[in-house]
Amino acid sequence: MPAPDRPAEAELLWVHTSEMADPYPYLLGGELLLSAGVLLTDPDHYVGRLVEAGAAALGFGVRPVHETVPGALIEACDRQGLPLLEVPPETPFTAIARAVWRLMAEARHRELRRVTRAQQALATAAARPDPVPAVLHQLATQLGGRAVLLTARGEEVHAAGHRLPAEPAGALTRLARVVARQRPGSPASATDTHGDTHLSAYALGGGDGLVLALAAGRRESGDHTVAGIAVVLLSLLAAPHQGADAAGRSAALVRMLLGATPAEVAPLLGATGPWTVIHARRTDGTPADALTAGALGASLGTALVDAGRGGGEAVRLLLPLPGAAAGPLQEGEAARPLPEAEADRVTPQPGWTLGASAPTPVTALDAADSLAARALAHAQATRAPLKVDAPVSGLAALVPPEQAAAHARTLLAPLTTPLADTLRCWLSLHGSWDRTAVALGVHRNTVRQRIGRCGELLDADLDDMDVRAELWFALRQG
């Protein structure tokens, strides 16, 4: 039985087999871990490490190592809320893995078919003469609940679906006020429950403070994606000045293609103050399409989204932060720390892993793009939903940027770009071979070989903290 503070059902993402005494470093979370307990000596510590790693459940195979599931292991799983399965000797671990993968594939296929049908239905509704009510009606039908478009003050603009009783309706209105863009730093989405009713609210783009509020008696896989598609459509349909914004962005693109500088076209993008570049990938590894990327942009409050060409490419977003600093940043100036309210605008997004640059002037967006890519790699390696690249501060801010860059070029001259990138990633992850390998998408032995080569070319002891500190300072200039 699960512990009272853990869910009765575990979300299973994959199956992993390990006979290590501590498999924590090799788990990403959501696994059904299969083990025969070959090196099991301290069940309480073993289970604690699995729970810390986010494992979904433990499958324990009996015989030939253990005749039965150890009582101490059963007690530890009960105490720490980890679901425990007994695997009989006639059931191979590979059969369990195959069965789980088949069920996951079937569930994923059902989800994709449902999302595709919903996408087509919402797009058809958006083409009707009364698009906003039609999209809300279709959304309520797809989710089996209530869909409401509210103003920032909680006034109902349009609604569809079954009416809610007074109490859950009031709770939904209060939740909508949380995400209404009445002040900087408001979250882009929020969820709650009221009894058996699942509530969610999404801020729409366009700067008018409109909110999409949803209530349903059930929450199914794919609901968030369907809601995200509706957010993008409603953001386009409900903002009266959206056409002017789109025209301005098109003009900015044309001028840049014809040779204008970023600083000259920045006003046409709708903001001149510092910008944050964000790189994002789906947490489950599936490629993002234009619709899911657009939904992410709407959640973060920006329409400046590049979904790339699919495959393994990251989604890139450009988030304007007007008023985040006292006066515009100048070229060559270190990024200033953001006020807390503005820094909170980049928030973790369900189903995504994000890397964000520090706020930067429009003239340095190319460098911010590289910093966002590094931050995303760091987030993936450390299993964090969001990593924000820190602005230059402390002692590093005392060195003039030109001198720092010249020192970095001299110190790092022996290294090729792949070696420098590997060294930067390895240092940022505190010398972890495994996490660096995950971040770079290479084998851990490749990381070891590259770091060894860096030490040889630099003629430096990379175990020396003074050496590491100086190299980190230099690599941060690139």
Side-chain angles (χ1 to χ4, degrees):
M1 293 290 292
D5 60 343
R6 286 178 65 88
E9 296 182 0
E11 183 180 4
L12 186 61
L13 299 180
W14 47 70
V15 178
H16 182 64
T17 301
S18 175
E19 296 300 339
M20 299 186 66
D22 181 13
Y24 172 89
Y26 303 94
L27 300 180
L28 296 175
E31 297 91 351
L32 166 61
L33 180 67
L34 301 176
S35 174
V38 175
L39 299 178
L40 181 66
T41 57
D42 186 346
D44 200 59
H45 176 74
Y46 181 77
V47 172
R49 292 289 281 172
L50 295 186
V51 171
E52 185 180 354
L58 171 63
F60 195 86
V62 296
R63 291 203 295 270
V65 181
H66 297 269
E67 290 298 317
T68 60
V69 180
L73 181 63
I74 297 174
E75 294 174 1
C77 288
D78 282 343
R79 186 163 51 251
Q80 302 193 50
L82 182 69
L84 175 63
L85 312 174
E86 178 178 332
V87 182
E90 62 271 15
T91 303
F93 284 175
T94 53
I96 296 175
R98 184 179 302 168
V100 170
W101 283 117
R102 184 173 63 250
L103 291 172
M104 291 176 63
E106 292 173 355
R108 179 61 175 163
H109 184 60
R110 287 194 301 270
E111 178 184 344
L112 288 175
R113 284 191 302 175
R114 175 173 177 251
V115 170
T116 300
R117 287 196 300 267
Q119 175 184 330
Q120 293 170 345
L122 290 169
T124 300
R128 292 186 51 174
D130 53 345
V132 173
V135 168
L136 288 173
H137 174 76
Q138 190 56 240
L139 181 60
T141 301
Q142 294 293 330
L143 301 182
R146 178 82 167 168
V148 187
L149 186 64
L150 300 170
T151 67
R153 294 188 298 273
E155 300 164 342
E156 186 175 297
V157 180
H158 296 287
H162 301 294
R163 286 192 173 276
L164 298 174
E167 289 190 7
L172 186 60
T173 301
R174 290 191 295 273
L175 185 67
R177 292 196 186 103
V178 173
V179 303
R181 293 295 177 86
Q182 295 174 300
R183 64 185 185 280
S186 298
S189 63
T191 60
D192 197 3
T193 57
H194 189 282
D196 295 331
T197 304
H198 298 277
L199 310 176
S200 55
Y202 302 84
L204 300 190
D208 295 324
L210 295 176
V211 175
L212 172 64
L214 305 172
R218 65 183 189 277
R219 183 171 291 167
E220 297 183 4
S221 178
D223 281 0
H224 184 71
T225 302
V226 173
I229 296 170
V231 166
V232 174
L233 291 173
L234 291 171
S235 295
L236 295 172
L237 295 169
H241 59 277
Q242 193 70 28
D245 288 348
R249 289 193 294 273
S250 296
L253 176 60
V254 170
R255 293 191 188 186
M256 289 188 73
L257 291 174
L258 294 177
T261 66
E264 291 173 317
V265 302
L268 292 174
L269 296 175
T272 58
W275 300 76
T276 287
V277 179
I278 301 171
H279 282 214
R281 283 198 176 94
R282 299 296 299 269
T283 304
D284 61 6
T286 58
D289 56 22
L291 280 171
T292 54
L296 174 64
S299 297
L300 290 169
T302 180
L304 303 176
V305 181
D306 174 21
R309 295 185 295 273
E313 284 194 5
V315 175
R316 300 191 302 172
L317 305 97
L318 193 56
L319 180 63
L321 298 171
L329 292 172
Q330 303 300 318
E331 184 173 5
E333 179 185 357
R336 307 184 189 117
L338 278 173
E340 184 176 352
E342 288 294 345
D344 289 344
R345 283 197 60 188
V346 184
T347 57
Q349 300 295 314
W352 293 89
T353 301
L354 307 179
S357 72
T360 184
V362 71
T363 52
L365 289 180
D366 54 346
D369 186 50
S370 299
L371 294 176
R374 295 175 196 169
L376 175 60
H378 192 286
Q380 290 180 302
T382 56
R383 308 173 191 169
L386 168 66
K387 169 65 176 176
V388 179
D389 183 77
V392 177
S393 60
L395 295 176
L398 301 178
V399 182
E402 299 80 6
Q403 296 181 17
H407 173 72
R409 287 193 296 269
T410 301
L411 181 62
L412 303 175
L415 302 183
T416 63
T417 298
L419 289 178
D421 289 342
T422 302
L423 180 59
R424 180 188 297 106
C425 185
W426 182 72
L427 289 174
S428 74
L429 295 170
H430 309 291
S432 171
W433 308 108
D434 295 311
R435 291 185 173 181
T436 304
V438 170
L440 297 176
V442 299
H443 194 275
R444 68 196 306 268
N445 288 342
T446 302
V447 176
R448 287 184 176 274
Q449 292 168 1
R450 290 181 182 177
I451 296 302
R453 183 60 177 158
C454 287
E456 294 173 3
L457 292 173
L458 296 172
D459 191 22
D461 180 6
L462 299 184
D463 291 327
D464 188 314
M465 284 304 300
D466 289 337
V467 173
R468 289 192 181 193
E470 184 174 4
L471 287 173
W472 178 245
F473 173 81
L475 289 163
R476 289 282 293 172
Q477 311 309 310

